[in-house]
Amino acid sequence: MSLIFYPDKCTACGLCLDACPFGVLSLEHEKLIIGQGCTLCGTCVEVCPLAALELPKEEAPSTRPQIPPDGIWVFAEQHRGKLIPVTQQLIGEARRLADALQVKVAAVLLGHQVAALATTLLAAGADKVYLAEHPALAHFCEEPFSLALTELAQRFRPEIILAGATYVGRAFIPQVAAHLKTGLTADCTAFDLDPEKRLLLQTRPAFGGNIMATIITPFTFPQMATARPGVFKIRPPVHNPTGEIIPVALTSLNDPPHSRFLAIVEEIKERLPLAEAEVIVAGGRGLKEAKNFRLLEELADLLGGAVGASRAAVDAGWIPYAHQIGQTGQTVSPKLYFAIGISGAAQHLVGMQSSDFIVAINKDPAAPIFQIANLSLVGDALEILPALIQEIKKTKLSNRL
Ligand SMILES: Cc1cc2nc3c(=O)[nH]c(=O)nc-3n(C[C@H](O)[C@H](O)[C@H](O)COP(=O)(O)OP(=O)(O)OC[C@H]3O[C@@H](n4cnc5c(N)ncnc54)[C@H](O)[C@@H]3O)c2cc1C
């Protein structure tokens, strides 16, 4: 396919030449020449005031292929034999979607000597578990994982595949989508269905978080999406689950790989990661300056929790971005969330509003955060925090005596 050029509309103004990021356009005797190396990026089309250039139209299939038979799959992510919570969160969400579509939920467990995890996946709500074990899957590497999931998807043909938007999911799920020649929506924060057309509605922040876009994949299967950890709640486990565990042999891993596992270099973590914390103590602009985040750290340490922050605090340089909670930060749903000196802007709420119990401390009684708080403390955080820390220390001490 190549760029379409309408010479009768062109005035040889040269705007497209300046705009082309690859320098493949030139003018010869006022005639536009499209050289080798055009990537159809469309920049020239956008700048041309006379619509003398056009991108070729991709042939979209006029009808949707037949619905694949194998329901909704969840990639069961495990690290060294331990499932990570987004797996159970996604199985719960897949269960909701599958019940509406009247299909089954399958968890796909890839690894080496990980069979013991299959029952936990059934208890989380899966109807069946595809268990693919192979020494090449002992440690995460993109190539064997993408080959394995692709092979299984081609063999059993799921309608939808969901995975966590973790570093693992982000690394290899796009390769699977490319192998399967289908679309992928990364980093979703919500799912819904158009049950009549059997379309997965995949919602995620777009354009720098300024809008929430709902994306569909109407012409290809499977419909694929990754979702942010912490967005969906884990369902209570099913006791004595009766689902099926289906061991599958893989042929795609027989060839020697192009990459190989060398070693895991542990990141030194001083604190609990936000996504795993049951208690989060988050601070905002109301804390006034970086040094006051020490109070949050002290409270978090006493409660065995992690420290979070609003974007205002991160932008002020008081705490690194990794701690930001909200639309352009992390999504969390701890058991207990402290919002201290945080006003409660919509972009912050979207990242923490599913917390089980929210304590807000703010000196403005009209702060929007109080509308979702379970416990509202109106006052100066810099007075309330030291007093709260003292009280907790006293209680801990008297409990120890
Ligand atoms: C595209 C986009 C994406 C965004 N993404 C995010 C995101 O991911 N996360 C995020 O948090 N924000 C995000 N924001 C920014 C968001 O709109 C708010 O600006 C931000 O959340 C405000 O942070 P804050 O509540 O700390 O500050 P402010 O809104 O300034 O609130 C400070 C609060 O502290 C209170 N206060 C002041 N002094 C004290 C005191 N001594 N004691 C107690 N309370 C006090 C004030 O009453 C006020 O309510 C985004 C914005 C945009 C446009």
Side-chain angles (χ1 to χ4, degrees):
M1 280 194 290
S2 55
L3 204 59
I4 302 167
F5 174 53
Y6 299 103
D8 48 326
K9 292 186 185 172
C10 178
T11 57
C13 69
L15 279 177
C16 56
L17 272 59
D18 298 337
C20 176
F22 303 100
V24 298
L25 301 180
S26 56
L27 281 173
E28 270 178 32
H29 309 295
E30 302 204 337
K31 187 171 171 262
L32 185 73
I33 308 292
I34 303 163
Q36 293 282 318
C38 172
T39 62
L40 297 177
C41 70
T43 313
C44 56
V45 176
E46 275 170 35
V47 296
C48 178
L50 301 164
L53 288 160
E54 197 179 283
L55 284 174
K57 295 210 175 24
E58 272 194 47
E59 285 279 311
S62 53
T63 53
R64 213 174 176 213
Q66 229 188 349
I67 308 291
D70 207 39
I72 305 182
W73 282 16
V74 173
F75 167 66
E77 186 172 338
Q78 50 86 20
H79 293 179
R80 293 190 227 174
K82 213 172 149 224
L83 288 170
I84 63 158
V86 71
T87 302
Q88 285 102 318
Q89 292 161 11
L90 279 176
I91 290 177
E93 178 62 1
R95 181 78 273 151
R96 182 183 77 82
L97 300 169
D99 290 346
L101 289 174
Q102 299 188 329
V103 294
K104 294 203 163 161
V105 174
V108 182
L109 181 55
L110 307 178
H112 184 50
Q113 298 173 343
V114 289
L117 300 177
T119 325
T120 313
L121 296 168
L122 294 176
D127 298 301
K128 55 186 170 182
V129 177
Y130 290 114
L131 172 63
E133 294 195 288
H134 193 286
L137 301 171
H139 299 283
F140 175 71
C141 280
E142 291 158 26
E143 188 186 6
F145 271 70
S146 63
L147 288 175
L149 189 55
T150 304
E151 181 182 338
L152 295 180
Q154 283 168 337
R155 200 182 308 166
F156 298 101
R157 299 182 45 237
E159 187 173 350
I160 293 171
I161 301 181
L162 305 177
T166 58
Y167 76 88
V168 167
R170 286 173 198 208
F172 90 104
I173 293 290
Q175 296 188 6
V176 177
H179 288 313
L180 297 173
K181 296 193 170 38
T182 189
L184 167 69
T185 307
D187 225 13
C188 293
T189 52
F191 294 124
D192 216 332
L193 286 170
D194 175 339
E196 212 173 291
K197 296 186 182 142
R198 297 184 79 86
L199 284 173
L200 179 67
L201 309 181
Q202 307 152 46
T203 300
R204 57 153 296 154
F207 296 108
N210 287 309
I211 61 160
M212 296 303 281
T214 296
I215 295 163
I216 55 171
T217 316
F219 297 117
T220 52
F221 284 110
Q223 302 169 84
M224 290 184 65
T226 60
R228 284 191 188 191
V231 174
F232 305 109
K233 290 263 177 212
I234 295 178
R235 293 188 167 207
V238 178
H239 293 294
N240 304 320
T242 53
E244 241 183 314
I245 299 170
I246 306 164
V248 276
L250 296 165
T251 56
S252 53
L253 302 183
N254 294 344
D255 294 335
H258 295 95
S259 56
R260 71 194 158 89
F261 169 80
L262 290 181
I264 294 174
V265 180
E266 290 285 354
E267 186 190 356
I268 300 162
K269 283 194 196 122
E270 286 171 9
R271 290 186 177 275
L272 202 57
L274 276 179
E276 288 171 27
E278 294 196 339
V279 178
I280 292 177
V281 182
R285 203 185 332 246
L287 283 171
K288 311 280 188 227
E289 49 184 324
K291 74 173 173 36
N292 292 329
F293 268 75
R294 296 293 302 277
L295 290 169
L296 301 192
E297 284 166 14
E298 203 176 342
L299 182 57
D301 284 345
L302 283 169
L303 300 173
V307 175
S310 71
R311 177 158 149 183
V314 171
D315 285 351
W318 299 343
I319 183 161
Y321 168 72
H323 296 260
Q324 184 176 315
I325 291 166
Q327 192 170 307
T328 41
Q330 300 203 43
T331 304
V332 295
S333 57
K335 291 196 171 136
L336 178 59
Y337 187 90
F338 283 87
I340 303 174
I342 293 178
S343 59
Q347 294 90 350
H348 186 78
L349 300 188
V350 78
M352 47 65 73
Q353 61 199 359
S354 60
S355 305
D356 289 348
F357 196 90
I358 298 168
V359 179
I361 304 176
N362 199 302
K363 67 177 188 184
D364 174 7
I369 192 75
F370 288 138
Q371 287 170 18
I372 62 153
N374 301 90
L375 180 63
S376 304
L377 302 174
V378 180
D380 187 340
L382 302 176
E383 287 172 13
I384 294 173
L385 264 176
L388 184 62
I389 289 168
Q390 269 322 103
E391 274 310 306
I392 295 172
K393 279 185 181 164
K394 257 197 259 165
T395 315
K396 284 203 158 192
L397 195 66
S398 61
N399 285 350
R400 231 180 283 151
L401 293 175

